[in-house]
């Protein structure tokens, strides 16, 4: 397959290191972004999803599109307007790309899209595979609509690959940085019961898995999680141990989190135990299969 890859969301938590990895591997990388950026040798093309505007030149000579764009799930409280923004930023963006592909000659052969383990929602101790059905709350509905929008590319003759991504661990941002900050100052604590499962994955394994998807004939949906899920309690304790900080405060009860965060408390209270068996069976090898290995590298 060709060596030119277009990335949406290319300056984000995953997009930035993924861009560098692809460049290091000899790929040509372009970004599709809301604003111009100076990231040599990456060319940035502009789009405005809400206005349905997109630079048609963005698909020139592109073989694969990696679709990472979308409003942050936990960046703001979930008002009705915010929930609509979270949903439309994922579905309208890929629809805009497909609209362009219908109108212009191109060499695009494959779409690799992010999805999320929010597809499965709150499932207790059930081990969830790619065949497990979605739940019908906001996160589940959002992920289903997201994946369905991406799947429309099949009608254009495109290969479709979707990664249901868990909690990405890195000290550059995201959930771990928010968890570790109070721990570093001696105020860390377990959230809710602590028994809820966290489908985590190290950032390096995330970008390696996208590269694996680029370089192998993978299609369909795969869980993007480490093979050893942990509970919130074990994650918090492991982070405190790695940072050499005490955990002395009582757990934050679920009702308090719901009062503070509203419906968005689902992000930290849901129990989602997700299997990595399918991607491992496809031949992917994790650099950080255990939480201890992941945290040791992150806080080395």
């Amino acid at each position: 397959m060709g060596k030119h890859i277009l990335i949406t969301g290319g300056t984000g938590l995953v997009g930035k290191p993924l861009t560098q990895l692809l460049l290091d591997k000899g790929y040509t990388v372009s970004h599709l972004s809301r604003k111009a950026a100076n990231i040599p040798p990456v060319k940035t093309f502009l789009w405005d999803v809400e206005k349905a505007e997109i630079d048609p030149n963005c698909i020139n000579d592109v073989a694969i599109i990696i679709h990472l764009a979308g409003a942050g799930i936990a960046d703001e409280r979930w008002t009705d307007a915010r929930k609509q923004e979270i949903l439309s930023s994922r579905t309208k963006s890929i629809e805009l790309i497909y609209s362009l592909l219908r109108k212009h000659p191109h060499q695009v052969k494959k779409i690799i899209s992010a999805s999320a383990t929010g597809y499965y929602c709150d499932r207790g101790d059930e081990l969830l595979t790619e065949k497990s059905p979605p739940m019908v709350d906001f996160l589940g509905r959002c992920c289903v609509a997201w994946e369905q929008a991406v799947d429309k590319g099949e009608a254009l003759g495109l290969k479709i690959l979707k990664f249901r991504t868990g909690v990405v661990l890195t000290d550059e941002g995201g959930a771990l940085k928010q968890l570790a900050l109070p721990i570093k100052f001696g105020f860390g604590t377990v959230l809710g019961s602590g028994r809820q499962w966290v489908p985590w994955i190290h950032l390096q394994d995330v970008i390696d898995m996208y590269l694996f998807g680029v370089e192998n004939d993978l299609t369909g949906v795969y869980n993007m999680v480490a093979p050893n899920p942990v509970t919130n309690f074990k994650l918090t304790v492991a982070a405190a141990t790695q940072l050499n900080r005490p955990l002395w405060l009582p757990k934050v009860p679920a009702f308090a989190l719901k009062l503070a965060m509203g419906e968005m408390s689902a992000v930290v209270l849901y129990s989602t135990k997700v299997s990595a068996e399918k991607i491992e069976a496809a031949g992917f090898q994790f650099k950080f299969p255990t939480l201890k290995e992941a945290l040791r590298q992150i806080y080395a």
Side-chain angles (χ1 to χ4, degrees):
M1 198 165 276
K3 300 283 282 186
H4 190 170
I5 297 173
L6 175 67
I7 303 178
T8 74
T11 58
L13 189 70
V14 172
K16 192 173 179 180
L18 176 58
T19 295
Q20 190 58 54
L21 176 62
L22 291 168
L23 291 172
D24 292 345
K25 293 292 183 179
Y27 290 90
T28 300
V29 181
S30 300
H31 285 175
L32 193 53
S33 180
R34 290 174 294 177
K35 53 186 178 182
N38 183 23
I39 316 173
V42 177
K43 184 172 179 59
T44 301
F45 297 91
L46 300 181
W47 69 342
D48 187 319
V49 175
E50 287 304 311
K51 294 180 180 178
E53 296 174 351
I54 185 170
D55 186 337
N57 295 310
C58 70
I59 57 172
N60 290 350
D61 301 318
V62 167
I64 298 175
I65 298 175
I66 300 179
H67 180 46
L68 305 177
I73 290 288
D75 290 354
E76 297 178 22
R77 195 177 179 92
W78 287 356
T79 61
D80 287 345
R82 179 60 179 175
K83 288 197 288 186
Q84 184 56 47
E85 182 181 2
I86 289 170
L87 178 60
S88 63
S89 66
R90 286 157 172 76
T91 57
K92 287 185 178 180
S93 52
I94 193 65
E95 287 168 0
L96 184 57
I97 290 171
Y98 287 161
S99 177
L100 177 63
L101 295 180
R102 289 187 194 98
K103 296 174 185 175
H104 293 267
H106 63 86
Q107 290 80 46
V108 178
K109 299 291 189 297
K110 188 172 186 177
I111 304 291
I112 303 176
S113 178
S115 181
T117 54
Y119 179 95
Y120 306 111
C121 301
D122 191 14
R123 307 289 274 273
D125 294 329
E126 178 185 358
L127 183 62
L128 301 157
T129 72
E130 290 80 357
K131 293 182 179 180
S132 300
M135 296 293 277
V136 291
D137 68 352
F138 170 66
L139 286 177
R141 293 196 307 272
C142 180
C143 290
V144 168
W146 189 0
E147 292 186 14
Q148 287 176 342
V150 173
D151 284 342
K152 291 178 182 177
E154 291 178 348
L156 300 176
L158 302 172
K159 294 181 177 181
I160 305 296
L161 172 61
K162 297 163 290 185
F163 286 121
R164 290 180 186 152
T165 313
V167 177
V168 179
L169 299 189
T170 170
D171 61 352
E172 297 297 318
L176 182 62
K177 190 170 185 178
Q178 295 178 19
L179 173 79
L181 186 62
I183 291 175
K184 288 179 179 178
F185 288 101
F187 297 106
T189 185
V190 174
L191 302 178
S193 70
R195 295 191 299 270
Q196 66 271 33
W197 290 93
V198 180
W200 66 275
I201 182 170
H202 190 288
L203 176 60
Q204 184 64 52
D205 284 325
V206 169
I207 63 174
D208 284 351
M209 201 179 295
Y210 275 109
L211 178 64
F212 188 76
V214 166
E215 297 189 335
N216 292 274
D217 191 25
L218 259 60
T219 57
V221 62
Y222 289 82
N223 291 329
M224 184 179 266
V225 296
N228 296 287
V230 298
T231 61
N232 175 268
F233 175 82
K234 288 189 175 180
L235 174 60
T236 307
V237 169
T241 300
Q242 190 63 45
L243 292 166
N244 196 26
R245 294 291 189 274
L247 285 177
W248 57 274
L249 290 172
K251 297 174 183 177
V252 180
F255 77 84
L257 289 167
K258 290 175 182 176
L259 282 174
M261 303 172 68
E263 193 178 355
M264 194 173 70
S265 62
V267 174
V268 294
L269 291 177
Y270 277 5
S271 181
T272 316
K273 187 179 183 182
V274 181
S275 169
E277 184 178 347
K278 185 180 178 183
I279 192 66
E280 286 188 301
F284 182 77
Q285 295 183 333
F286 287 87
K287 285 190 173 74
F288 302 98
T290 69
L291 182 64
K292 186 175 182 179
E293 291 171 294
L295 292 178
R296 184 186 297 137
Q297 188 280 330
I298 289 169
Y299 295 120

